Amino acid sequence: MEQKLSAADEKIISDLLPKKFNRQGYVWIGILLAICAVGVFAYYRQIRYGLVVTGLRDYALWGLYISNFVYFVAVSLVGSLIAAVLRLSGVKWATPITRISEIIAFAAIVFAGISIMLDMGRPDRFYNLFIYGRLQSPIIWDVLVIVTYLCFSFILIYIPLLPDIRLMLNHPEKNPKFLNKIYSFFGEFWHGTEEQKAIRNKAVGVLTIGIVPAAFCIISVDAWLFATTYRPGWDATSSEAYFISGAFLVGCGSVVVAMYVFRKYYGLEKYLTDSHFDKMGKILALLAVLYVYFNITEYMIPFFKLKNSEEAYLNSLLLGHFAPVFWFAILIGMIIPICILVFKKGRTPLPMFITGIMVVIGAWIKRYLIVPPTLLHPFLPMHNVPKNYTTYVPTWEEWAISMATIAGTLLIVTLFTRIFPIIPINELIEERHEKDNQ
Amino acid sequence: METNNTSRKEFLTSLVASGLALAGCSTKKNPFQPAGAGAPAASGEKVKLLSVDGDIIEVDRAYLKPIPEMPFVSNLEERKGIPGKKFVMVIDLARCKNLKKCEIVCNKMHHLHSGVSWLKIYPMQAGEHTAPYWQPTTCMHCDHPPCVKVCPVDATFKRQDGIVLIDANRCVGCRFCMAACPYSIRVFNWENPDIPEELCEQEYSCETSIPQKKGTVGKCDFCPDLIRKSELPHCVTACPNGTFYFGDLNEDVVTNGAETFRFSDLIRDKAGYQLMEDLGTHPSVYFLPPVNRNFSFENGLENE
């Protein structure tokens, strides 16, 4: 394989091999680490004094952490969308963004698991889930599917990485010593023989098919966490479809943001082309329309009927206390992005970047609006409880911990790009050769 | 009351008898405690006692040993429950005037964190033009408990006698059960409960629910520790208006301490119902509608 490399291939390799961070990069990592440090301190306070340091109380018993959990699970779905759904449908242009989407998915699912633990009143008893775990509980379903999806994601990143690791091992003098150790630990055995390639292709084929049901499971279980309870607003029959469509949307949005940042920072204009943005823009627009549709079934149809138990909840969400935030999320998460993306100019990199950020923020607010508004409208009236029980205002500790989980996700993605090529080099070269042969 | 039959008499007698028997030896500092515990040596000082046969007998003071107030109940037995029983509660809404005695006693006896209540009295009004009433609300001890369904670690469980309890030594604090409970009766220990230190050190029991622990869920437990002693739950005995009836569905009898009814008659005659029965939770608590009330709703407002 190595002797066949042409000058053009060498160019691709030298363009795409991981590069040292410049000053901006170090500042970025410094900021992320600082946010994580504050989060760790806040979590220390939460462990020491109990969940009383949060704004959670008996009615709003879930808040930011569970919203974040739902959000991370949603983001992680993109790994399967880009890597599997597009690959299986024979879309070739998506090759350069597969690894971006997979590493985002991996980082997100790691922090989805962590978010659940952050929410636990007794994280010291986490092992009880394994000792006493009962299959009938949706939390156990969640543990199972998250671990499964985590493994799938990891292997799906790892196997296509092997030829790229070999490339880096071929030039050990270019890499810092400790990275060479990582490379040889992960990829020393890979020599790119025909036999190895056959195994790799088979494994990737199995995984791309297998990850689709796994991904649908995590997001469905996520929806069932809410749908298995008797609560106004968590009762919709279409909640899984609503969750899945929203998850595809936010995942796609986050990939667009990452594409823009990597392209800018590493100068990848040749690999992440305007045409990639254009195509991702079309997908994003389609997903946004789909999500609007499911929002209508989720909110408008119950609002039309206005059942007794749901009246107060829907009124506060659509017209009352939560209405400004709700409509803001609908606007920036769906309506404005659709308006931007229908135009060809809107699907160029910078507008796409801004749209992606709007989608990501809007999606986070939407996740938040799934959790506390329902909990704050129980069947029986809130009576004779302290005033802070009737509302939910997250404390600084909760914000700090939540920010730390987001910073942690970004940190994983950032460090990954330092160690491994963020665009699959080997696959690009192979695809180029295929084209040449034709 | 004139419909009393033997089984109900027995039920009552056993309650009273055991209550009396226990009253004698329930204090912590037992006067019969021998000075040097372990190997008792005869002190020569005799004590007169009444035997079970009704004879007066004399026993050396050194040989007297206090019987523990409660035999030790293992976690396994706590999870199984009392065989052959199916406990139910009937709450007569016509008798409640929001006195809150039930709530106060419950909080005190379970050493709850200040501000926390397991038993809540809600002012209820179904529609705009319907009459308001006071609704004391305990755990419904559902036969299809949503909380038990979702608990990932079997920390909250349903016993064969119908009671739903919490094992605070196992609870991981995910609060899924609280989200699942449509009656919102579950409370969380957001911080270290402010209870006396000697209670904190005590081994937790699912039946007494004492001591409550930080980071775990708590709720009304139907006082199974009292039931084991054939006593009525605290809220039942605390209510001066006899709002709460407690009993056994298998024996078809409920009592509020002063009056005893055949459960099925009571429910039939007074059109008893369950709270939100449309949800399919099958509660063990029944409500009698607030008709022919003893007090007007406004009476209760002064206790707000």
Side-chain angles (χ1 to χ4, degrees):
Chain A
M1 159 190 155
E2 274 152 43
Q3 51 270 47
K4 277 192 282 173
L5 287 180
S6 63
D9 295 337
E10 292 289 358
K11 177 85 179 71
I12 294 182
I13 295 173
S14 72
D15 277 353
L16 295 182
L17 277 185
K19 297 188 182 61
K20 283 209 177 87
F21 291 126
N22 58 17
R23 177 175 294 185
Q24 270 177 315
Y26 281 116
V27 171
W28 169 246
I29 291 180
I31 293 173
L32 292 181
L33 283 176
I35 296 175
C36 289
V38 177
V40 169
F41 174 68
Y43 188 60
Y44 159 76
R45 282 179 53 83
Q46 181 179 311
I47 293 288
R48 171 140 188 219
Y49 301 107
L51 282 164
V52 70
V53 302
T54 67
L56 302 168
R57 290 299 177 263
D58 285 348
Y59 286 102
L61 49 99
W62 286 340
L64 280 193
Y65 301 145
I66 295 293
S67 313
N68 278 336
F69 161 72
V70 180
Y71 183 69
F72 281 128
V73 169
V75 170
S76 78
L77 202 64
V78 74
S80 72
L81 170 72
I82 306 284
V85 176
L86 290 188
R87 197 180 286 189
L88 288 174
S89 41
V91 175
K92 279 277 188 281
W93 59 264
T95 311
I97 57 172
T98 45
R99 194 163 291 157
I100 296 180
S101 64
E102 280 161 12
I103 188 62
I104 290 177
F106 178 79
I109 200 73
V110 166
F111 276 92
I114 290 176
S115 292
I116 281 267
M117 279 186 248
L118 293 174
D119 185 73
M120 285 168 62
R122 298 300 296 244
D124 52 316
R125 296 183 183 164
F126 185 73
Y127 60 87
N128 277 6
L129 290 175
F130 302 98
I131 303 177
Y132 302 115
R134 296 187 313 159
L135 259 186
Q136 70 185 67
S137 167
I139 295 225
I140 298 296
W141 308 345
D142 229 335
V143 172
L144 290 176
V145 291
I146 284 183
V147 172
T148 310
Y149 191 69
L150 191 68
C151 296
F152 266 101
S153 305
F154 178 79
I155 306 172
L156 201 51
I157 294 176
Y158 178 53
I159 293 182
L161 252 182
L162 285 168
D164 290 358
I165 294 179
R166 173 59 33 202
L167 281 178
M168 289 177 292
L169 278 173
N170 288 343
H171 306 283
E173 71 286 350
K174 284 189 192 164
N175 315 319
K177 252 195 183 155
F178 75 100
L179 281 188
N180 276 329
K181 270 188 194 155
I182 296 180
Y183 297 146
S184 44
F185 175 76
F186 279 111
E188 186 67 69
F189 61 88
W190 180 264
H191 298 289
T193 61
E194 288 307 316
E195 196 189 357
Q196 282 184 326
K197 277 187 193 169
I199 296 174
R200 181 199 67 181
N201 291 342
K202 202 169 194 179
V204 170
V206 170
L207 283 173
T208 39
I209 294 173
I211 199 166
V212 177
F216 275 62
C217 279
I218 54 167
I219 201 80
S220 302
V221 168
D222 205 11
W224 294 335
L225 275 188
F226 302 107
T228 48
T229 65
Y230 299 85
R231 293 276 179 167
W234 288 351
D235 239 5
T237 41
S238 60
S239 61
E240 303 83 30
Y242 164 65
F243 270 57
I244 291 175
S245 70
F248 276 149
L249 177 66
V250 56
C252 209
S254 58
V255 167
V256 167
V257 173
M259 277 165 67
Y260 183 82
V261 173
F262 288 136
R263 171 174 140 129
K264 197 98 185 150
Y265 184 77
Y266 289 114
L268 299 174
E269 282 81 1
K270 263 202 296 180
Y271 304 95
L272 300 171
T273 61
D274 286 2
S275 141
H276 283 114
F277 280 90
D278 183 62
K279 281 168 179 147
M280 283 301 280
K282 285 175 184 163
I283 296 184
L284 200 59
L286 173 74
L287 291 172
V289 172
L290 192 66
Y291 197 42
V292 170
Y293 169 79
F294 278 112
N295 269 282
I296 292 172
T297 64
E298 181 78 12
Y299 294 106
M300 285 306 156
I301 302 308
F303 190 66
F304 181 91
K305 194 161 49 174
L306 216 55
K307 275 197 286 191
N308 232 346
S309 55
E310 292 182 341
E311 186 180 349
Y313 157 74
L314 285 169
N315 275 331
S316 85
L317 203 58
L318 302 183
L319 308 168
H321 180 71
F322 293 103
V325 189
F326 178 82
W327 292 110
F328 177 71
I330 297 274
L331 269 183
I332 72 156
M334 286 163 256
I335 308 296
I336 298 178
I338 293 173
C339 294
I340 295 177
L341 294 171
V342 289
F343 296 104
K344 187 143 183 73
K345 271 225 172 101
R347 299 194 296 271
T348 49
L350 185 63
M352 281 284 290
F353 172 65
I354 296 167
T355 314
I357 289 196
M358 288 199 293
V359 164
V360 166
I361 293 174
W364 187 87
I365 300 174
K366 288 284 295 167
R367 298 304 175 288
Y368 176 76
L369 288 175
I370 289 173
V371 183
T374 279
L375 290 169
L376 288 171
H377 294 92
F379 287 117
L380 293 177
M382 290 188 209
H383 180 65
N384 254 344
V385 288
K387 188 140 190 3
N388 62 346
Y389 275 50
T390 57
T391 54
Y392 172 57
V393 184
T395 57
W396 78 261
E397 283 93 344
E398 276 175 286
W399 284 115
I401 294 172
S402 303
M403 287 301 154
T405 57
I406 292 170
T409 318
L410 296 173
L411 202 59
I412 292 185
V413 176
T414 310
L415 293 179
F416 181 84
T417 63
R418 172 66 192 91
I419 303 175
F420 300 108
I422 190 66
I423 292 182
I425 302 177
N426 181 62
E427 283 175 57
L428 273 191
I429 294 178
E430 277 181 5
E431 274 180 22
R432 239 175 54 87
H433 288 178
E434 268 174 43
K435 253 191 215 157
D436 289 350
N437 292 343
Q438 284 164 6
Chain B
M1 287 308 292
E2 50 277 359
T3 55
N4 259 351
N5 67 13
T6 342
S7 86
R8 246 168 300 154
K9 230 176 222 159
E10 272 171 14
F11 179 76
L12 266 185
T13 339
S14 72
L15 277 184
V16 174
S18 50
L20 281 177
L22 285 157
C25 53
S26 62
T27 45
K28 270 235 147 119
K29 274 195 186 149
N30 201 303
F32 302 142
Q33 181 85 44
S43 64
E45 196 183 341
K46 301 285 188 207
V47 180
K48 282 196 172 69
L49 292 173
L50 190 62
S51 81
V52 278
D53 306 323
D55 305 322
I56 294 175
I57 53 170
E58 260 190 350
V59 180
D60 192 287
R61 182 179 281 271
Y63 297 136
L64 290 175
K65 253 200 206 153
I67 303 166
E69 183 188 359
M70 278 277 290
F72 174 75
V73 184
S74 71
N75 184 272
L76 209 65
E77 288 169 86
E78 285 177 341
R79 284 173 171 271
K80 231 188 246 164
I82 302 166
K85 300 283 182 186
K86 170 74 182 81
F87 295 109
V88 286
M89 182 176 269
V90 180
I91 297 176
D92 188 351
L93 296 174
R95 295 179 170 202
C96 180
K97 66 169 228 171
N98 192 29
L99 261 184
K100 291 191 197 279
K101 297 284 183 211
C102 50
E103 186 179 335
I104 294 164
V105 170
C106 174
N107 292 353
K108 183 165 181 266
M109 297 314 285
H110 292 104
H111 300 278
L112 299 188
H113 188 67
S114 54
V116 173
S117 293
W118 285 350
L119 199 164
K120 291 164 198 147
I121 305 179
Y122 295 106
M124 298 293 282
Q125 191 167 16
E128 206 181 328
H129 301 293
T130 60
Y133 57 92
W134 296 104
Q135 177 183 289
T137 311
T138 64
C139 173
M140 298 292 139
H141 295 274
C142 306
D143 287 345
H144 292 178
C147 51
V148 172
K149 272 191 212 167
V150 300
C151 178
V153 294
D154 204 14
T156 187
F157 51 88
K158 176 87 180 163
R159 314 203 303 180
Q160 60 179 4
D161 57 10
I163 297 181
V164 175
L165 290 183
I166 297 174
D167 188 342
N169 280 338
R170 189 181 286 192
C171 175
V172 295
C174 68
R175 309 190 291 292
F176 202 168
C177 53
M178 298 174 70
C181 175
Y183 307 101
S184 307
I185 59 99
R186 289 176 165 251
V187 296
F188 193 70
N189 291 299
W190 299 99
E191 56 190 314
N192 260 325
D194 47 8
I195 49 179
E197 216 161 279
E198 65 266 23
L199 279 178
C200 282
E201 287 157 14
Q202 194 177 311
E203 186 59 28
Y204 173 84
S205 147
C206 305
E207 292 204 341
T208 59
S209 304
I210 296 171
Q212 287 292 295
K213 297 193 166 181
K214 181 177 94 174
T216 65
V217 177
K219 71 164 188 73
C220 155
D221 57 7
F222 259 14
C223 300
D225 50 326
L226 296 186
I227 300 175
R228 277 207 195 267
K229 297 190 279 187
S230 301
E231 287 178 38
L232 290 166
H234 294 300
C235 51
V236 179
T237 44
C239 180
N241 301 324
T243 304
F244 301 87
Y245 296 86
F246 189 80
D248 180 4
L249 190 69
N250 293 342
E251 289 184 54
D252 198 20
V253 60
V254 286
T255 177
N256 62 6
E259 304 156 273
T260 303
F261 289 98
R262 191 175 279 283
F263 169 78
S264 48
D265 289 352
L266 191 65
I267 295 297
R268 187 193 61 217
D269 296 344
K270 295 207 164 170
Y273 68 94
Q274 291 153 309
L275 201 57
M276 296 183 226
E277 48 201 321
D278 53 320
L279 294 180
T281 49
H282 299 261
S284 297
V285 176
Y286 294 76
F287 288 89
L288 305 181
V291 288
N292 303 323
R293 299 193 208 186
N294 296 359
F295 315 96
S296 76
F297 176 79
E298 287 70 25
N299 277 166
L301 287 174
E302 62 204 39
N303 288 319
E304 277 305 278

